[in-house]
Amino acid sequence: MRPGDSAEPGAAGPGSAGLSRLDRFLPVWIGAAMLAGLAAGRAVPGLGSALEAVKVDGISLPIALGLLVMMYPVLAKVRYDRLDAVTGDRRLLAASLVANWVVGPAVMFALAWIFLPDLPEYRTGLIIVGLARCIAMVIIWNDLACGDREAAAVLVALNSLFQVVAFAGLGWFYLEVLPGWLGLDQARLDVSAWDIARSVLVFLGVPLAAGYLSRRLGERARGRAWYEGTFLPRIGPVALYGLLFTIVVLFALQGEAITSKPLDVARIALPLLAYFAVMWAGAFALGRVSGLGYPRTATLAFTAAGNNFELAIAVAIATFGAASGQALAGVVGPLIEVPVLVGLVYVSLMLRRRLTAEES
């Protein structure tokens, strides 16, 4: 049973009595992980440098490992033989493409300029975050909100393909061309398609391949009943352990920067808060108007609101440097995204109960 699932349709999500202690108190554990990371980053000299010493595709190795551990159990739960039912849903695919690659970057561009007109480094960093569409943590949020796992796998894969093809071009448009047309300050983004493809391969390809092989080999050896009734419940909690570990490391890496520049962090946080709220609510409304059921509507909302912060941070560091304002803005992204999207999981589950009651 995944977080938010229940034996009865429409039952409560996280917080229901039948869930494990880890699931019921998820916001508490996430808050504790944030505080632990901040405290460790401030209290242990050189911890940030040690965590950054070994990197995978521009991302600290501990973060990379945490992300891979976090994503594998959820991708192992996907029923890959049902993906054709998702790929045939043209309404879902079209809505996702519009929300992610037309609306999302434009909304972040507008919010960055509205909230940070006098801070070009932070503004550029936020625009980069807006261009890096979801491929990682969104899988966790979707699962917690009882979204459609198969749909999430397809939309994440679709976003990954578009990321490789469109990221550099959209960066050029939103940082150079559009500001020039509007008479605004221009920035420059130099990133190759191979850099983006490598990030996608590491942070999606590896756990996706592991999840697919686990299901295929597990079902072949022991059958689907054993795989879903015995194996998946055993590995399920690992995803949340990976999430908590990743949060601790993220906050430890940037603990000093966050606590030494609280006003800067607050200014970066405001457009991010607006972005996550606008994108999630808009995509959820679009799903309902398009006639999608709750599971796929929730999946559309979370995939539209989430971002590929691994790629955004890697691009900002590679282009502008680890100590740049662009890199700080990239790092603040997931620090705001985590608590906001956890909150939206609960909003989504509340709407799920209401929609289920209306349809019954």
Side-chain angles (χ1 to χ4, degrees), residues 120-126 261 268 316 320-331:
E121 289 191 359
Y122 297 154
R123 184 176 65 237
T124 298
L126 285 186
K261 298 180 180 179
I268 296 169
F320 303 102
S324 66
Q326 291 89 341
L328 178 60
V331 169

Side-chain angles (χ1 to χ4, degrees), residues 108 116 119-130 254 264-265 267-269 271-272 309 312-313 316 322-336:
M108 186 66 91
L116 303 171
L119 296 171
E121 289 191 359
Y122 297 154
R123 184 176 65 237
T124 298
L126 285 186
I127 292 172
I128 293 172
V129 170
Q254 295 297 325
D264 287 1
V265 171
R267 289 202 62 182
I268 296 169
L272 284 168
F309 71 81
I313 294 171
S324 66
Q326 291 89 341
L328 178 60
V331 169
V332 172
L335 307 188
I336 303 302

Side-chain angles (χ1 to χ4, degrees), residues 177-250:
V177 176
L178 186 56
W181 289 350
L182 300 176
L184 305 172
D185 294 337
Q186 294 171 282
R188 184 174 182 82
L189 183 63
D190 184 17
V191 59
S192 71
W194 168 241
D195 292 332
I196 301 164
R198 196 171 60 230
S199 175
V200 170
L201 180 64
V202 171
F203 294 110
L204 177 62
V206 171
L208 182 61
Y212 174 78
L213 290 174
S214 292
R215 178 171 282 279
R216 187 171 181 83
L217 298 177
E219 289 188 357
R220 180 180 295 176
R222 304 288 294 274
R224 174 163 290 187
W226 172 86
Y227 183 84
E228 295 189 345
T230 302
F231 179 73
L232 290 182
R234 288 178 181 173
I235 66 168
V238 173
L240 294 182
Y241 297 145
L243 171 64
L244 296 175
F245 173 78
T246 303
I247 291 170
V248 170
V249 175
L250 276 171

